[in-house]
Amino acid sequence: IYIAYTSPPPDNPEDDGDVFLIRSFDGGKSWARRMRVNDDKSGRLQFFPSVAVDPEGTVHMIWGDTRDDPTELDYHIYYSFSKDRGETWEFNSRVSDFPSNPNLAFPRGRYIGDYFTIKATADDVYIVWADSRLGRVAGTNQKVAFARKKLMPAPSIFISPPSGPGGEEVTIQGFNFQPDLDLFIEVGGVVVATAHVQEEGRFSTQIFIPISGSGAHDVTVVDTSG
């Protein structure tokens, strides 16, 4: 039995909270000493851990972590795992690619940790959490963010023709985008077209390349999630 929780460390009263794991190997009759999982030295808050065990017995844990923000308002999701039933932990790895702020996700920041969870199978580890990045630009907002341990295919675009004179149409195809989202296509930082991603994560559209100065122009595709 594995139980993960947050607590101030007894040896550092200035620390706002670490994540710990306690374990029982006899069905709860006795418990091993608690193990601190986060490895930062900052004294900043770690909170709302979630733990899972894969079929091979490896223990996996995630938690919200404010170590990267001196104000302790923004959090990232961190991950670690143990191959010896929680005795030692391999590393602390930052999972999220953008910081979240509870106050930008939910009214008064409530319930933010209800939506952190991790599941582990024999093949992969799956992580979800509440992500508030859209709350920085559109008012209180949150998305369910997802990550897995195996590499995920990165979005890419194919441009045809890749070069030529201005004033002509160019075909842009996209692959491995998030399905069923609207896209904005920019040329040189200016939005010139919109498109929509199909269920298989692809899109295809034509854009008009404006006549402008010679040389290369950046073509950027941004979906509505940012």
Side-chain angles (χ1 to χ4, degrees), residues 12-205:
N12 184 7
E14 301 300 320
D15 193 313
D16 287 333
D18 290 327
V19 287
F20 293 92
L21 185 82
I22 56 174
R23 306 156 292 156
S24 174
F25 305 126
D26 56 10
K29 295 178 182 178
S30 62
W31 295 87
R33 72 186 188 281
R34 69 178 185 174
M35 304 298 297
R36 179 177 182 261
V37 179
N38 57 289
D39 63 359
D40 70 300
K41 309 296 184 183
S42 68
R44 295 170 192 153
L45 177 64
Q46 284 76 38
F47 63 99
F48 289 142
S50 182
V51 64
V53 183
D54 68 28
E56 301 299 321
T58 300
V59 185
H60 306 265
M61 187 188 293
I62 63 164
W63 60 91
D65 199 311
T66 66
R67 72 176 70 182
D68 301 305
D69 180 16
T71 68
E72 295 188 77
L73 292 175
D74 287 343
Y75 67 85
H76 278 284
I77 298 299
Y78 272 73
Y79 161 81
S80 189
F81 69 93
S82 172
K83 292 184 176 181
D84 55 8
R85 302 197 296 178
E87 189 68 25
T88 59
W89 294 83
E90 295 291 332
F91 58 88
N92 281 201
S93 174
R94 196 174 79 184
V95 176
S96 48
D97 64 344
F98 197 88
S100 287
N101 184 318
N103 300 298
L104 301 178
F106 298 92
R108 296 182 295 280
R110 293 177 175 175
Y111 315 123
I112 188 72
D114 291 358
Y115 312 101
F116 297 176
T117 193
I118 182 172
K119 299 297 179 184
T121 70
D123 300 317
D124 213 340
V125 178
Y126 303 91
I127 301 167
V128 295
W129 68 95
D131 185 295
S132 74
R133 70 185 68 192
L134 291 183
R136 298 179 188 273
V137 296
T140 303
N141 201 323
Q142 78 292 133
K143 295 291 186 182
V144 177
F146 166 80
R148 71 184 192 204
K149 198 168 183 180
K150 287 185 177 180
L151 290 177
M152 298 178 70
S156 62
I157 59 174
F158 176 77
I159 303 176
S160 178
S163 62
E168 294 189 352
E169 284 192 341
V170 169
T171 298
I172 295 184
Q173 294 177 303
F175 308 90
N176 298 323
F177 280 78
Q178 184 171 334
D180 197 29
L181 282 182
D182 292 326
L183 302 169
F184 301 95
I185 301 170
E186 300 177 353
V187 177
V190 177
V191 176
V192 298
T194 60
H196 190 80
V197 186
Q198 304 304 313
E199 288 298 324
E200 66 274 14
R202 299 181 181 182
F203 75 89
S204 180
T205 190

